[in-house]
Amino acid sequence: MDLTPTGAAASPPGPAAGASGGAGVSLPEPRRLGPLARLAPEPMKVVLNWGRRYSLWVFNFGLACCAIEFIAASMAKHDFIRLGVIPFAPGPRQADLMVVSGTVTDKMAPAVRRLYEQMPEPKYVISFGACSNCGGPYWDSYSVTKGVDQIIPVDVYVPGCPPRPEALLQGILKLQEKIARESLGERYGAARPSAAALTSGLLQPPAAVEGDR
């Protein structure tokens, strides 16, 4: 494919092209997502955020009774599909939003983290119910995680035990307002955390016992 510019509207040749008498053009190196998003015109950011906020595929991580309220919110009476939220994604790799509803135990925490990491960016999390927010009535149990935000970042907290479907609708609206204001350049411009930082809060498997082999 010929990349030589033609016409007056073409970009000026780089140093390498000038030295070779205009025979070719030195293409600029690809920029990262952060600088490009900051340089994008404001109407383009509005369109991109509008598309994300009204096309949220939901991965429901139902762990206890709050999951029933999530199902009620997706049925005909409340029908959060009218808000641009599509329930029951085939899996985490096809989801934009994870709704954690129910009691997160220490044994379940690594699975929650693993499925969250399988979701593509940009991804969002709603903590639905008191158990998911802080452990709820089981906060002093030896086996209960004191909130799902101990293992994954949470964007919106929905209180209640269990919350009504209307509360989940309000949480979705709050998340959509947050998406409308966000900038992908600020979100992804920073350096990604190291592998040690990602696994620091996870539970480690018990060491093998000599007699179990």
Side-chain angles (χ1 to χ4, degrees):
M1 181 170 55
D2 186 15
L3 297 176
T4 306
T6 58
S11 58
S20 60
V25 137
S26 59
L27 296 177
E29 294 188 5
R31 297 180 178 179
R32 305 181 72 181
L33 175 63
L36 280 180
R38 284 192 291 269
L39 293 175
E42 194 62 31
M44 183 61 68
K45 296 178 183 178
V46 172
V47 171
L48 292 176
N49 288 343
W50 178 85
R52 276 192 296 273
R53 68 187 289 196
Y54 291 125
S55 60
L56 292 170
W57 283 81
V58 183
F59 177 63
N60 179 30
F61 206 101
L63 295 169
C65 47
C66 289
I68 304 300
E69 301 299 324
F70 173 90
I71 296 172
S74 66
M75 294 294 104
K77 180 178 180 180
H78 301 284
D79 186 26
F80 59 39
I81 299 180
R82 60 192 167 89
L83 302 177
V85 179
I86 300 94
F88 311 118
R93 291 182 176 87
Q94 291 80 32
D96 308 295
L97 169 62
M98 175 188 282
V99 177
V100 183
S101 50
T103 311
V104 182
T105 61
D106 293 343
K107 190 173 184 179
M108 184 61 70
V112 176
R113 180 58 180 264
R114 189 179 307 115
L115 292 173
Y116 171 79
E117 292 174 348
Q118 292 176 7
M119 295 171 61
E121 297 284 357
K123 52 191 174 185
Y124 308 95
V125 176
I126 291 180
S127 178
F128 185 56
C131 289
S132 178
N133 291 346
C134 62
Y138 315 108
W139 67 272
D140 58 345
S141 172
Y142 71 95
S143 61
V144 171
T145 304
K146 308 304 185 283
V148 71
D149 55 3
Q150 303 293 316
I151 51 176
I152 59 176
V154 175
D155 296 281
V156 175
Y157 297 87
V158 179
C161 186
R164 290 188 56 83
E166 293 87 348
L168 178 58
L169 298 181
Q170 180 68 14
I172 291 172
L173 292 176
K174 291 295 183 183
L175 177 62
Q176 290 177 336
E177 293 174 4
K178 179 177 181 179
I179 295 173
R181 297 190 305 264
E182 78 175 354
S183 168
L184 289 185
E186 297 174 359
R187 180 166 182 149
Y188 301 109
R192 297 187 65 84
S194 62
L198 289 175
T199 59
S200 59
L202 296 182
L203 298 176
Q204 300 299 325
V209 183
E210 194 71 25
D212 293 342
R213 296 178 180 176

